[in-house]
PDB file of all heavy atoms in Angstrom:
ATOM      1  N   ALA H 273      22.262  -2.581   9.445  1.00  0.00           N
ATOM      2  CA  ALA H 273      21.022  -2.135   8.979  1.00  0.00           C
ATOM      3  C   ALA H 273      20.444  -0.954   9.936  1.00  0.00           C
ATOM      4  O   ALA H 273      19.518  -0.256   9.655  1.00  0.00           O
ATOM      5  CB  ALA H 273      19.941  -3.181   8.909  1.00  0.00           C
ATOM      6  N   ARG H 274      20.990  -1.054  11.161  1.00  0.00           N
ATOM      7  CA  ARG H 274      20.511   0.034  12.147  1.00  0.00           C
ATOM      8  C   ARG H 274      20.796   1.401  11.677  1.00  0.00           C
ATOM      9  O   ARG H 274      20.340   2.325  12.244  1.00  0.00           O
ATOM     10  CB  ARG H 274      21.022  -0.269  13.515  1.00  0.00           C
ATOM     11  CG  ARG H 274      20.466  -1.536  14.096  1.00  0.00           C
ATOM     12  CD  ARG H 274      20.946  -1.845  15.474  1.00  0.00           C
ATOM     13  NE  ARG H 274      20.682  -0.863  16.369  1.00  0.00           N
ATOM     14  CZ  ARG H 274      21.323  -0.371  17.421  1.00  0.00           C
ATOM     15  NH1 ARG H 274      22.419  -0.906  17.585  1.00  0.00           N
ATOM     16  NH2 ARG H 274      20.951   0.610  18.198  1.00  0.00           N
ATOM     17  N   ALA H 290      20.698  13.554 -11.022  1.00  0.00           N
ATOM     18  CA  ALA H 290      21.238  13.646 -12.334  1.00  0.00           C
ATOM     19  C   ALA H 290      20.295  14.177 -13.258  1.00  0.00           C
ATOM     20  O   ALA H 290      19.112  14.336 -12.901  1.00  0.00           O
ATOM     21  CB  ALA H 290      21.443  12.094 -12.782  1.00  0.00           C
ATOM     22  N   ARG H 397      -2.489  -0.770 -26.304  1.00  0.00           N
ATOM     23  CA  ARG H 397      -2.005  -1.975 -25.298  1.00  0.00           C
ATOM     24  C   ARG H 397      -0.715  -2.695 -25.885  1.00  0.00           C
ATOM     25  O   ARG H 397       0.227  -2.964 -25.094  1.00  0.00           O
ATOM     26  CB  ARG H 397      -3.169  -2.913 -25.145  1.00  0.00           C
ATOM     27  CG  ARG H 397      -2.701  -4.149 -24.206  1.00  0.00           C
ATOM     28  CD  ARG H 397      -3.790  -5.018 -23.801  1.00  0.00           C
ATOM     29  NE  ARG H 397      -4.625  -4.283 -22.783  1.00  0.00           N
ATOM     30  CZ  ARG H 397      -5.941  -4.158 -22.865  1.00  0.00           C
ATOM     31  NH1 ARG H 397      -6.631  -4.498 -23.883  1.00  0.00           N
ATOM     32  NH2 ARG H 397      -6.628  -3.563 -21.850  1.00  0.00           N
ATOM     33  N   ALA H 400       2.520  -0.018 -25.228  1.00  0.00           N
ATOM     34  CA  ALA H 400       2.742   0.745 -24.041  1.00  0.00           C
ATOM     35  C   ALA H 400       3.126  -0.209 -22.933  1.00  0.00           C
ATOM     36  O   ALA H 400       2.237  -1.066 -22.662  1.00  0.00           O
ATOM     37  CB  ALA H 400       1.613   1.594 -23.655  1.00  0.00           C
ATOM     38  N   ARG H 401       4.379  -0.131 -22.454  1.00  0.00           N
ATOM     39  CA  ARG H 401       4.797  -0.942 -21.328  1.00  0.00           C
ATOM     40  C   ARG H 401       3.899  -0.783 -20.105  1.00  0.00           C
ATOM     41  O   ARG H 401       3.748  -1.662 -19.384  1.00  0.00           O
ATOM     42  CB  ARG H 401       6.234  -0.773 -21.030  1.00  0.00           C
ATOM     43  CG  ARG H 401       6.800  -1.329 -19.861  1.00  0.00           C
ATOM     44  CD  ARG H 401       7.135  -2.809 -20.089  1.00  0.00           C
ATOM     45  NE  ARG H 401       7.876  -3.204 -21.250  1.00  0.00           N
ATOM     46  CZ  ARG H 401       8.091  -4.536 -21.463  1.00  0.00           C
ATOM     47  NH1 ARG H 401       7.687  -5.597 -20.673  1.00  0.00           N
ATOM     48  NH2 ARG H 401       8.945  -4.878 -22.541  1.00  0.00           N
ATOM     49  N   VAL H 402       3.345   0.404 -19.955  1.00  0.00           N
ATOM     50  CA  VAL H 402       2.489   0.646 -18.816  1.00  0.00           C
ATOM     51  C   VAL H 402       1.369   1.574 -19.425  1.00  0.00           C
ATOM     52  O   VAL H 402       1.638   2.560 -20.150  1.00  0.00           O
ATOM     53  CB  VAL H 402       3.294   1.311 -17.656  1.00  0.00           C
ATOM     54  CG1 VAL H 402       3.921   2.695 -17.961  1.00  0.00           C
ATOM     55  CG2 VAL H 402       2.329   1.554 -16.529  1.00  0.00           C
ATOM     56  N   LEU H 403       0.074   1.165 -18.958  1.00  0.00           N
ATOM     57  CA  LEU H 403      -0.989   1.905 -19.376  1.00  0.00           C
ATOM     58  C   LEU H 403      -1.815   2.571 -18.175  1.00  0.00           C
ATOM     59  O   LEU H 403      -1.933   1.848 -17.271  1.00  0.00           O
ATOM     60  CB  LEU H 403      -1.985   1.104 -20.131  1.00  0.00           C
ATOM     61  CG  LEU H 403      -1.853   0.984 -21.529  1.00  0.00           C
ATOM     62  CD1 LEU H 403      -2.692  -0.182 -22.140  1.00  0.00           C
ATOM     63  CD2 LEU H 403      -2.178   2.230 -22.242  1.00  0.00           C
ATOM     64  N   VAL H 405      -5.516   4.187 -17.247  1.00  0.00           N
ATOM     65  CA  VAL H 405      -6.750   4.234 -17.889  1.00  0.00           C
ATOM     66  C   VAL H 405      -7.921   4.317 -16.807  1.00  0.00           C
ATOM     67  O   VAL H 405      -7.850   3.372 -15.987  1.00  0.00           O
ATOM     68  CB  VAL H 405      -7.094   3.118 -18.813  1.00  0.00           C
ATOM     69  CG1 VAL H 405      -6.814   1.711 -18.233  1.00  0.00           C
ATOM     70  CG2 VAL H 405      -8.493   3.290 -19.544  1.00  0.00           C
ATOM     71  N   GLU H 410      -4.360  15.980 -15.989  1.00  0.00           N
ATOM     72  CA  GLU H 410      -3.474  16.094 -14.781  1.00  0.00           C
ATOM     73  C   GLU H 410      -2.630  14.940 -14.590  1.00  0.00           C
ATOM     74  O   GLU H 410      -1.385  15.102 -14.038  1.00  0.00           O
ATOM     75  CB  GLU H 410      -4.409  16.365 -13.606  1.00  0.00           C
ATOM     76  CG  GLU H 410      -3.601  16.666 -12.231  1.00  0.00           C
ATOM     77  CD  GLU H 410      -4.557  16.681 -11.062  1.00  0.00           C
ATOM     78  OE1 GLU H 410      -5.769  16.826 -11.283  1.00  0.00           O
ATOM     79  OE2 GLU H 410      -3.960  16.735 -10.033  1.00  0.00           O
ATOM     80  N   ASP H 411      -3.112  13.750 -14.958  1.00  0.00           N
ATOM     81  CA  ASP H 411      -2.276  12.491 -14.759  1.00  0.00           C
ATOM     82  C   ASP H 411      -1.007  12.671 -15.605  1.00  0.00           C
ATOM     83  O   ASP H 411       0.096  12.167 -15.298  1.00  0.00           O
ATOM     84  CB  ASP H 411      -3.063  11.279 -15.150  1.00  0.00           C
ATOM     85  CG  ASP H 411      -4.152  10.953 -14.190  1.00  0.00           C
ATOM     86  OD1 ASP H 411      -3.828  11.045 -12.967  1.00  0.00           O
ATOM     87  OD2 ASP H 411      -5.292  10.704 -14.479  1.00  0.00           O
ATOM     88  N   GLU H 414       1.401  14.808 -14.050  1.00  0.00           N
ATOM     89  CA  GLU H 414       1.849  14.149 -12.688  1.00  0.00           C
ATOM     90  C   GLU H 414       2.890  13.087 -13.113  1.00  0.00           C
ATOM     91  O   GLU H 414       3.920  13.033 -12.499  1.00  0.00           O
ATOM     92  CB  GLU H 414       0.704  13.454 -11.997  1.00  0.00           C
ATOM     93  CG  GLU H 414       1.029  13.206 -10.557  1.00  0.00           C
ATOM     94  CD  GLU H 414       0.455  14.175  -9.694  1.00  0.00           C
ATOM     95  OE1 GLU H 414      -0.538  14.950  -9.964  1.00  0.00           O
ATOM     96  OE2 GLU H 414       0.932  14.306  -8.603  1.00  0.00           O
ATOM     97  N   ALA H 418       6.838  13.290 -12.115  1.00  0.00           N
ATOM     98  CA  ALA H 418       7.439  12.179 -11.302  1.00  0.00           C
ATOM     99  C   ALA H 418       8.752  11.591 -11.957  1.00  0.00           C
ATOM    100  O   ALA H 418       9.652  11.227 -11.333  1.00  0.00           O
ATOM    101  CB  ALA H 418       6.319  11.141 -11.199  1.00  0.00           C
ATOM    102  N   ARG H 420      10.727  13.309 -13.829  1.00  0.00           N
ATOM    103  CA  ARG H 420      11.610  14.331 -14.001  1.00  0.00           C
ATOM    104  C   ARG H 420      11.753  14.665 -15.467  1.00  0.00           C
ATOM    105  O   ARG H 420      12.863  14.875 -16.114  1.00  0.00           O
ATOM    106  CB  ARG H 420      13.032  14.082 -13.390  1.00  0.00           C
ATOM    107  CG  ARG H 420      12.972  13.910 -11.927  1.00  0.00           C
ATOM    108  CD  ARG H 420      14.398  13.355 -11.399  1.00  0.00           C
ATOM    109  NE  ARG H 420      14.319  13.205 -10.028  1.00  0.00           N
ATOM    110  CZ  ARG H 420      14.393  14.010  -8.966  1.00  0.00           C
ATOM    111  NH1 ARG H 420      14.679  15.404  -9.454  1.00  0.00           N
ATOM    112  NH2 ARG H 420      14.336  13.727  -7.791  1.00  0.00           N
TER     113      ARG H 420
ATOM    114  N   MET F  75       9.530  11.641  -8.533  1.00  0.00           N
ATOM    115  CA  MET F  75       9.911  12.406  -7.424  1.00  0.00           C
ATOM    116  C   MET F  75       8.702  13.274  -6.815  1.00  0.00           C
ATOM    117  O   MET F  75       7.710  13.453  -7.605  1.00  0.00           O
ATOM    118  CB  MET F  75      10.940  13.493  -7.810  1.00  0.00           C
ATOM    119  CG  MET F  75      10.507  14.483  -8.948  1.00  0.00           C
ATOM    120  SD  MET F  75      11.261  15.992  -8.933  1.00  0.00           S
ATOM    121  CE  MET F  75      10.942  16.812  -7.444  1.00  0.00           C
ATOM    122  N   LYS F 284       9.546  -9.402 -17.957  1.00  0.00           N
ATOM    123  CA  LYS F 284       9.280  -8.050 -18.304  1.00  0.00           C
ATOM    124  C   LYS F 284       7.817  -7.847 -18.509  1.00  0.00           C
ATOM    125  O   LYS F 284       7.424  -7.683 -19.602  1.00  0.00           O
ATOM    126  CB  LYS F 284      10.112  -7.635 -19.513  1.00  0.00           C
ATOM    127  CG  LYS F 284      11.636  -7.360 -19.293  1.00  0.00           C
ATOM    128  CD  LYS F 284      12.175  -6.775 -20.513  1.00  0.00           C
ATOM    129  CE  LYS F 284      13.701  -6.459 -20.149  1.00  0.00           C
ATOM    130  NZ  LYS F 284      13.822  -5.226 -19.583  1.00  0.00           N
ATOM    131  N   PHE F 286       4.106  -6.053 -18.582  1.00  0.00           N
ATOM    132  CA  PHE F 286       3.383  -4.831 -19.013  1.00  0.00           C
ATOM    133  C   PHE F 286       2.490  -4.573 -17.842  1.00  0.00           C
ATOM    134  O   PHE F 286       1.939  -5.431 -17.244  1.00  0.00           O
ATOM    135  CB  PHE F 286       2.553  -4.963 -20.251  1.00  0.00           C
ATOM    136  CG  PHE F 286       3.518  -5.017 -21.396  1.00  0.00           C
ATOM    137  CD1 PHE F 286       4.486  -5.904 -21.785  1.00  0.00           C
ATOM    138  CD2 PHE F 286       3.328  -3.969 -22.498  1.00  0.00           C
ATOM    139  CE1 PHE F 286       5.219  -5.897 -22.826  1.00  0.00           C
ATOM    140  CE2 PHE F 286       4.092  -3.860 -23.634  1.00  0.00           C
ATOM    141  CZ  PHE F 286       5.118  -5.002 -23.823  1.00  0.00           C
ATOM    142  N   PHE F 287       2.144  -3.373 -17.602  1.00  0.00           N
ATOM    143  CA  PHE F 287       1.332  -2.853 -16.501  1.00  0.00           C
ATOM    144  C   PHE F 287       0.155  -2.083 -17.067  1.00  0.00           C
ATOM    145  O   PHE F 287       0.389  -1.146 -17.891  1.00  0.00           O
ATOM    146  CB  PHE F 287       2.111  -2.120 -15.469  1.00  0.00           C
ATOM    147  CG  PHE F 287       3.166  -2.959 -14.725  1.00  0.00           C
ATOM    148  CD1 PHE F 287       4.399  -2.960 -15.210  1.00  0.00           C
ATOM    149  CD2 PHE F 287       2.763  -3.835 -13.786  1.00  0.00           C
ATOM    150  CE1 PHE F 287       5.467  -3.653 -14.601  1.00  0.00           C
ATOM    151  CE2 PHE F 287       3.782  -4.512 -13.170  1.00  0.00           C
ATOM    152  CZ  PHE F 287       5.142  -4.500 -13.454  1.00  0.00           C
ATOM    153  N   GLU F 288      -0.994  -2.117 -16.373  1.00  0.00           N
ATOM    154  CA  GLU F 288      -2.064  -1.286 -16.656  1.00  0.00           C
ATOM    155  C   GLU F 288      -2.685  -0.869 -15.308  1.00  0.00           C
ATOM    156  O   GLU F 288      -2.879  -1.726 -14.354  1.00  0.00           O
ATOM    157  CB  GLU F 288      -3.250  -1.973 -17.360  1.00  0.00           C
ATOM    158  CG  GLU F 288      -2.768  -2.267 -18.860  1.00  0.00           C
ATOM    159  CD  GLU F 288      -3.900  -2.569 -19.841  1.00  0.00           C
ATOM    160  OE1 GLU F 288      -5.063  -2.297 -19.524  1.00  0.00           O
ATOM    161  OE2 GLU F 288      -3.677  -3.176 -20.775  1.00  0.00           O
ATOM    162  N   VAL F 289      -2.851   0.437 -15.122  1.00  0.00           N
ATOM    163  CA  VAL F 289      -3.379   1.024 -13.828  1.00  0.00           C
ATOM    164  C   VAL F 289      -4.740   1.569 -14.144  1.00  0.00           C
ATOM    165  O   VAL F 289      -4.907   2.450 -14.935  1.00  0.00           O
ATOM    166  CB  VAL F 289      -2.456   2.040 -13.333  1.00  0.00           C
ATOM    167  CG1 VAL F 289      -3.086   2.752 -12.046  1.00  0.00           C
ATOM    168  CG2 VAL F 289      -0.910   1.514 -13.131  1.00  0.00           C
ATOM    169  N   ALA F 290      -5.870   1.069 -13.493  1.00  0.00           N
ATOM    170  CA  ALA F 290      -7.190   1.463 -13.763  1.00  0.00           C
ATOM    171  C   ALA F 290      -7.803   2.199 -12.452  1.00  0.00           C
ATOM    172  O   ALA F 290      -7.640   1.594 -11.462  1.00  0.00           O
ATOM    173  CB  ALA F 290      -7.989   0.350 -14.242  1.00  0.00           C
ATOM    174  N   ARG F 301       0.627  -7.788 -16.762  1.00  0.00           N
ATOM    175  CA  ARG F 301       0.304  -8.623 -17.865  1.00  0.00           C
ATOM    176  C   ARG F 301       1.563  -9.328 -18.310  1.00  0.00           C
ATOM    177  O   ARG F 301       2.648  -8.690 -18.657  1.00  0.00           O
ATOM    178  CB  ARG F 301      -0.161  -7.806 -19.011  1.00  0.00           C
ATOM    179  CG  ARG F 301      -0.753  -8.617 -20.161  1.00  0.00           C
ATOM    180  CD  ARG F 301      -0.967  -7.514 -21.243  1.00  0.00           C
ATOM    181  NE  ARG F 301       0.090  -7.253 -22.158  1.00  0.00           N
ATOM    182  CZ  ARG F 301       0.328  -6.268 -23.010  1.00  0.00           C
ATOM    183  NH1 ARG F 301      -0.545  -5.319 -23.075  1.00  0.00           N
ATOM    184  NH2 ARG F 301       1.218  -6.257 -23.760  1.00  0.00           N
ATOM    185  N   ASP F 390      20.454  -7.262  11.148  1.00  0.00           N
ATOM    186  CA  ASP F 390      20.641  -7.288   9.713  1.00  0.00           C
ATOM    187  C   ASP F 390      19.701  -8.310   8.978  1.00  0.00           C
ATOM    188  O   ASP F 390      20.055  -8.878   7.992  1.00  0.00           O
ATOM    189  CB  ASP F 390      22.121  -7.600   9.212  1.00  0.00           C
ATOM    190  CG  ASP F 390      22.932  -6.269   9.295  1.00  0.00           C
ATOM    191  OD1 ASP F 390      22.449  -5.100   9.187  1.00  0.00           O
ATOM    192  OD2 ASP F 390      24.274  -6.435   9.362  1.00  0.00           O
ATOM    193  N   THR F 428      12.104  13.575  -2.743  1.00  0.00           N
ATOM    194  CA  THR F 428      12.570  14.529  -3.710  1.00  0.00           C
ATOM    195  C   THR F 428      13.863  14.108  -4.448  1.00  0.00           C
ATOM    196  O   THR F 428      14.278  14.639  -5.511  1.00  0.00           O
ATOM    197  CB  THR F 428      13.082  15.941  -2.929  1.00  0.00           C
ATOM    198  OG1 THR F 428      14.174  15.614  -2.074  1.00  0.00           O
ATOM    199  CG2 THR F 428      11.996  16.454  -2.099  1.00  0.00           C
ATOM    200  N   LYS F 441       0.126   7.289  -9.337  1.00  0.00           N
ATOM    201  CA  LYS F 441      -1.278   7.467  -9.349  1.00  0.00           C
ATOM    202  C   LYS F 441      -1.801   7.443  -7.851  1.00  0.00           C
ATOM    203  O   LYS F 441      -2.708   8.176  -7.457  1.00  0.00           O
ATOM    204  CB  LYS F 441      -1.950   6.514 -10.330  1.00  0.00           C
ATOM    205  CG  LYS F 441      -3.496   6.745 -10.295  1.00  0.00           C
ATOM    206  CD  LYS F 441      -3.843   7.975 -11.089  1.00  0.00           C
ATOM    207  CE  LYS F 441      -5.382   8.094 -11.268  1.00  0.00           C
ATOM    208  NZ  LYS F 441      -5.722   9.467 -11.724  1.00  0.00           N
ATOM    209  N   GLN F 444      -1.140  10.378  -6.010  1.00  0.00           N
ATOM    210  CA  GLN F 444      -1.992  11.560  -6.453  1.00  0.00           C
ATOM    211  C   GLN F 444      -3.436  11.424  -5.860  1.00  0.00           C
ATOM    212  O   GLN F 444      -3.963  12.465  -5.392  1.00  0.00           O
ATOM    213  CB  GLN F 444      -2.041  11.600  -8.013  1.00  0.00           C
ATOM    214  CG  GLN F 444      -2.946  12.688  -8.594  1.00  0.00           C
ATOM    215  CD  GLN F 444      -3.587  12.256  -9.985  1.00  0.00           C
ATOM    216  OE1 GLN F 444      -4.251  11.092  -9.951  1.00  0.00           O
ATOM    217  NE2 GLN F 444      -3.184  13.067 -11.008  1.00  0.00           N
ATOM    218  N   ARG F 447      -3.320  12.354  -2.247  1.00  0.00           N
ATOM    219  CA  ARG F 447      -3.114  13.870  -1.956  1.00  0.00           C
ATOM    220  C   ARG F 447      -4.445  14.632  -2.391  1.00  0.00           C
ATOM    221  O   ARG F 447      -4.854  15.469  -1.651  1.00  0.00           O
ATOM    222  CB  ARG F 447      -1.977  14.428  -2.910  1.00  0.00           C
ATOM    223  CG  ARG F 447      -1.798  15.944  -3.032  1.00  0.00           C
ATOM    224  CD  ARG F 447      -0.632  16.272  -3.746  1.00  0.00           C
ATOM    225  NE  ARG F 447      -0.690  15.840  -5.140  1.00  0.00           N
ATOM    226  CZ  ARG F 447      -1.272  16.304  -6.184  1.00  0.00           C
ATOM    227  NH1 ARG F 447      -2.027  17.356  -6.033  1.00  0.00           N
ATOM    228  NH2 ARG F 447      -1.188  15.738  -7.427  1.00  0.00           N
ATOM    229  N   LYS F 448      -5.068  14.280  -3.500  1.00  0.00           N
ATOM    230  CA  LYS F 448      -6.344  14.962  -3.821  1.00  0.00           C
ATOM    231  C   LYS F 448      -7.386  14.671  -2.884  1.00  0.00           C
ATOM    232  O   LYS F 448      -8.195  15.582  -2.583  1.00  0.00           O
ATOM    233  CB  LYS F 448      -6.695  14.454  -5.181  1.00  0.00           C
ATOM    234  CG  LYS F 448      -5.858  14.944  -6.341  1.00  0.00           C
ATOM    235  CD  LYS F 448      -6.107  14.351  -7.717  1.00  0.00           C
ATOM    236  CE  LYS F 448      -7.320  15.070  -8.431  1.00  0.00           C
ATOM    237  NZ  LYS F 448      -7.370  14.660  -9.846  1.00  0.00           N
TER     238      LYS F 448
END
Side-chain angles (χ1 to χ4, degrees):
Chain H
R274 294 179 63 214
R397 179 169 287 125
R401 176 68 58 179
V402 58
L403 268 171
V405 56
E410 186 185 345
D411 290 314
E414 197 97 27
R420 299 174 182 275
Chain F
M75 64 155 295
K284 284 187 174 281
F286 284 60
F287 295 96
E288 292 194 22
V289 181
R301 184 188 95 199
D390 275 335
T428 66
K441 184 67 180 173
Q444 182 208 57
R447 174 176 52 83
K448 288 173 82 168

